């Protein structure tokens, strides 16, 4: 049987786009202060999960909701399970958008909204690939299970809970990265230095805050400083204005008597690619380090200054490069200091290749900045490096589909980003971004090209069928 997958997607383009638009309207950011027994990660992730599962019910699939943590949409029967993993949660929208991030806008053949490329758009493309197979009544010899998560951008507790109740698929992919394929992912661990929230110099750091998530480069940083005098406050403002004029940043400094309130703006990026962003927090710390701070505030500023531009962990003494997996990267993603209150800390998120581990990273950090730090917290639950060989039939089949539909040669890729693909020993990430794409994941004005969205759906339909038949 010859199936014109491109035509099948063409016949459903309007429905696919309409479903995606409605899904993108759901503000599915994790909100810990709104967690309930019914909404384990807050109402947004729950509502988006329910919305996606409702599409499966509408279209006649077997659907299961696992206590609003995760769920699945299922088709076919067989002894083996092919897993497809998407997620409905998104990182916080943040500032800098030209449009409302939860009112999808189609412009220049792109759809703009938070989640359009990570991961609601790719998930919808893969879902429609499965929907086509069902609607055509194509025979399959395996059970196909589209697993829908709701905490991928945070702790993956959705998958922990889901797999306490459901069996693990035998093999599969996550439509949550790039084509031709991602068959390797670096390890992922966060290490958090903590500080005393004290002062002691002639300048006092009242407050410093930056970052939304460990896996996002901080776009905004704010600080409140009390200076020795009104004249000193004015001088600090003048110095700050000169500093932002000389660097790739922007910002404001407001003087209120002896107090100065600073806001510095950089550029967000995915924490797996910190070199693509401009870290507002470390730029602000570099500016502040020239003033007379003392106590824990001085140590906090010194540490943040120390890691400025240190996206490969060189200043921290933990740099590592593997021939296959490439360089370790480090994103300084969260910063919090309030004078007199407990809990002053930073979060360094590492994406590390094989050949190193979290113990080695912690030891290097302790040696590098231990004199500044009150304690060092190392994330207990973390993911080590993951790799599926090119000769595995899963990898070779997916690359063959990609090559047939694009005319381009397939090749392996290893990334710092973490996807649900690594949940399975034989799991990879497959699309939906094509080579040469503009990466707007975790950034303002996130978008996906409609041409790429529909082209990905074509590839997913063929790939799912080949893997399942």
């Amino acid at each position: 049987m010859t199936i014109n997958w491109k035509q099948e997607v063409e016949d459903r383009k309007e429905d696919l786009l309409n479903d995606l638009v409605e899904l993108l309207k759901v503000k599915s950011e994790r909100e810990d202060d709104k967690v309930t027994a019914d909404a384990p990660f807050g109402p947004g992730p729950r509502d988006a999960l329910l919305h996606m599962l409702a599409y499966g019910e509408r279209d006649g699939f077997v659907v299961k909701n696992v206590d609003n943590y995760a769920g699945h949409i299922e088709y076919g029967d067989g002894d083996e399970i092919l897993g497809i993993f998407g997620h409905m949660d998104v990182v916080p929208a943040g500032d800098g958008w030209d449009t409302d991030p939860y009112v999808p806008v189609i412009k220049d053949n792109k759809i703009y909204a938070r989640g359009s490329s990570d991961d609601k758009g790719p998930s919808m493309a893969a879902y429609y690939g499965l929907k086509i197979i069902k609607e055509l009544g194509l025979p399959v010899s395996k059970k196909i299970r589209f697993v829908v998560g709701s905490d991928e951008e945070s702790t993956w507790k959705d998958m922990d809970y889901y797999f306490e109740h459901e069996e693990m698929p035998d093999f599969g992919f996550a439509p949550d990265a790039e084509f031709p394929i991602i068959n390797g992912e670096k390890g992922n661990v966060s290490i958090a230095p903590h500080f005393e929230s004290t002062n002691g110099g002639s300048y006092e750091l009242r407050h410093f805050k930056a970052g939304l998530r460990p896996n996002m480069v901080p776009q905004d940083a704010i600080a409140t400083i009390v200076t020795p005098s009104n004249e000193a406050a004015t001088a600090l403002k003048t110095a700050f204005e000169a500093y932002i004029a000389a660097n790739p940043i922007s910002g404001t400094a407001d003087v209120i008597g002896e107090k100065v309130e600073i806001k510095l703006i950089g550029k967000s990026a995915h924490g797996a690619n910190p070199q693509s962003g401009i870290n507002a927090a470390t730029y602000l710390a570099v500016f502040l380090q020239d003033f007379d701070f003392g106590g824990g505030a001085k140590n906090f500023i010194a540490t943040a200054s120390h890691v400025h531009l240190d996206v490969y962990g060189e200043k921290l003494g933990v740099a590592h490069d593997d021939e296959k997996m490439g360089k370790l990267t480090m994103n300084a993603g969260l910063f919090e200091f309030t004078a007199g209150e407990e809990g002053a800390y930073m979060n360094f998120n590492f994406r590390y290749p094989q050949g190193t581990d979290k113990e080695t990273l912690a030891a290097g950090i302790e040696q590098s900045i231990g004199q500044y730090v009150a304690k060092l917290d190392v994330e207990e639950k973390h993911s080590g490096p993951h790799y599926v060989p090119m000769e595995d039939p899963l990898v070779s089949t997916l690359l063959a589909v990609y090559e047939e539909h694009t005319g381009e040669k397939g090749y392996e890729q290893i990334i710092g980003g973490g996807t649900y693909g690594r949940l399975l020993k034989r799991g990879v990430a497959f699309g939906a971004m094509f080579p040469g794409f503009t990466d707007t994941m975790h950034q303002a004005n996130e978008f996906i090209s409609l041409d790429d969205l529909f082209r990905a759906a074509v590839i997913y339909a063929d790939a799912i069928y080949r893997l399942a038949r």
Side-chain angles (χ1 to χ4, degrees):
M1 176 188 294
T2 300
I3 303 165
N4 187 337
W5 298 108
K6 187 174 182 180
Q7 186 59 52
E8 296 297 336
V9 171
E10 182 71 26
D11 292 343
R12 297 166 175 82
K13 280 171 57 173
E14 186 175 343
D15 290 341
L16 191 163
L17 188 56
N18 288 339
D19 283 349
L20 176 57
V21 166
E22 292 306 310
L23 187 60
L24 290 170
K25 290 178 181 178
V26 182
K27 183 180 179 181
S28 51
E29 301 175 11
R30 176 170 171 161
E31 295 179 283
D32 290 340
D33 60 335
K34 298 180 181 178
V35 166
T36 65
D38 182 58
F41 311 111
R46 175 203 60 197
D47 292 349
L49 170 65
L50 295 176
H51 199 106
M52 187 70 200
L53 295 179
Y55 288 151
E57 292 173 346
R58 176 198 67 190
D59 295 330
F61 288 98
V62 174
V63 175
K64 184 171 184 179
N65 179 356
V66 182
D67 298 330
N68 290 345
Y69 279 81
H72 63 242
I73 298 167
E74 196 171 85
Y75 174 73
D77 291 297
D79 294 332
E80 285 188 286
I81 301 175
L82 163 61
I84 305 161
F85 291 82
H87 68 89
M88 296 297 105
D89 60 307
V90 297
V91 297
D95 298 326
W97 287 75
D98 296 333
T99 58
D100 187 324
Y102 294 106
V103 178
V105 172
I106 297 175
K107 181 175 63 175
D108 300 327
N109 205 40
K110 304 178 181 74
I111 185 165
Y112 289 83
R114 176 58 90 216
S116 55
S117 62
D118 184 17
D119 179 44
K120 294 176 180 177
S123 292
M124 189 59 65
Y127 173 72
Y128 263 77
L130 178 59
K131 178 176 160 71
I132 288 168
I133 292 168
K134 178 183 180 298
E135 290 179 350
L136 295 180
L138 299 177
V140 295
S141 64
K142 300 174 181 65
K143 185 177 293 183
I144 307 169
R145 181 171 289 173
F146 192 108
V147 181
V148 186
S150 64
D151 189 40
E152 195 269 356
E153 297 291 3
S154 296
T155 62
W156 289 30
K157 289 181 179 178
D158 56 341
M159 291 296 105
D160 292 341
Y161 189 89
Y162 177 81
F163 285 118
E164 289 174 3
H165 299 79
E166 299 296 323
E167 62 183 314
M168 186 79 70
D170 297 279
F171 64 102
F173 68 86
D176 189 20
E178 306 169 28
F179 290 120
I181 202 166
I182 304 294
N183 60 313
E185 298 181 12
K186 297 176 185 177
N188 184 336
V189 66
S190 286
I191 298 178
H194 290 250
F195 304 84
E196 300 292 340
S197 57
T198 57
N199 277 278
S202 59
Y203 286 73
E204 179 184 349
L205 182 63
R206 288 277 181 86
H207 186 62
F208 188 115
K209 184 174 178 60
L212 297 171
R213 291 282 177 83
N215 58 354
M216 298 175 71
V217 175
Q219 178 169 289
D220 304 314
I222 58 172
T224 301
I225 301 108
V226 177
T227 71
S229 66
N230 292 0
E231 292 77 16
T234 300
L236 189 150
K237 173 182 171 69
T238 301
F240 180 71
E241 290 170 346
Y243 179 69
I244 62 173
N247 288 282
I249 52 178
S250 60
T252 57
D254 296 324
V255 174
I256 308 167
E258 296 177 352
K259 185 171 70 174
V260 183
E261 294 182 346
I262 291 177
K263 181 175 183 180
L264 190 149
I265 302 171
K267 179 179 180 291
S268 185
H270 196 299
N273 301 293
Q275 64 274 22
S276 300
I278 299 173
N279 194 310
T282 65
Y283 267 98
L284 181 51
V286 167
F287 169 71
L288 293 177
Q289 70 178 344
D290 292 334
F291 295 88
D292 180 32
F293 292 95
K298 181 177 181 178
N299 292 335
F300 182 90
I301 292 168
T303 301
S305 301
H306 184 72
V307 299
H308 182 55
L309 303 180
D310 189 27
V311 295
Y312 300 114
E314 294 164 343
K315 296 178 186 177
L316 284 174
V318 297
H320 183 73
D321 194 351
D322 176 75
E323 183 177 357
K324 178 175 284 291
M325 287 194 151
K327 289 184 176 183
L328 170 149
T329 62
M330 188 278 288
N331 179 51
L334 295 175
F335 298 77
E336 181 79 49
F337 182 100
T338 300
E341 294 186 8
E342 293 185 6
Y345 78 101
M346 298 173 190
N347 184 290
F348 302 153
N349 182 242
F350 294 90
R351 311 299 173 105
Y352 63 94
Q354 56 194 6
T356 190
D357 53 39
K358 70 175 184 177
E359 290 78 16
T360 302
L361 300 180
I365 294 170
E366 182 66 42
Q367 184 172 355
S368 176
I369 61 172
Q371 69 270 32
Y372 303 130
V373 175
K375 68 172 182 175
L376 203 64
D377 279 347
V378 182
E379 185 179 25
E380 290 188 14
K381 181 194 171 189
H382 77 293
S383 303
H386 171 78
Y387 181 73
V388 182
M390 287 281 283
E391 57 269 22
D392 189 291
L394 169 67
V395 177
S396 59
T397 299
L398 293 177
L399 286 178
V401 174
Y402 170 82
E403 291 176 351
E404 182 173 321
H405 287 280
T406 65
E408 303 290 336
K409 179 65 178 174
Y411 50 86
E412 73 172 355
Q413 294 185 96
I414 297 167
I415 62 169
T419 74
Y420 282 152
R422 70 188 305 141
L423 289 165
L424 309 178
K425 184 176 180 181
R426 295 181 62 220
V428 300
F430 187 54
M433 304 301 127
F434 289 86
F437 78 102
T438 300
D439 185 2
T440 56
M441 296 182 186
H442 294 202
Q443 301 176 44
N445 300 316
E446 177 184 349
F447 71 83
I448 189 170
S449 158
L450 295 184
D451 288 342
D452 286 353
L453 177 71
F454 299 135
R455 185 162 53 146
V458 172
I459 291 173
Y460 288 141
D462 193 358
I464 294 169
Y465 184 51
R466 291 196 203 187
L467 291 172
R469 73 188 179 188

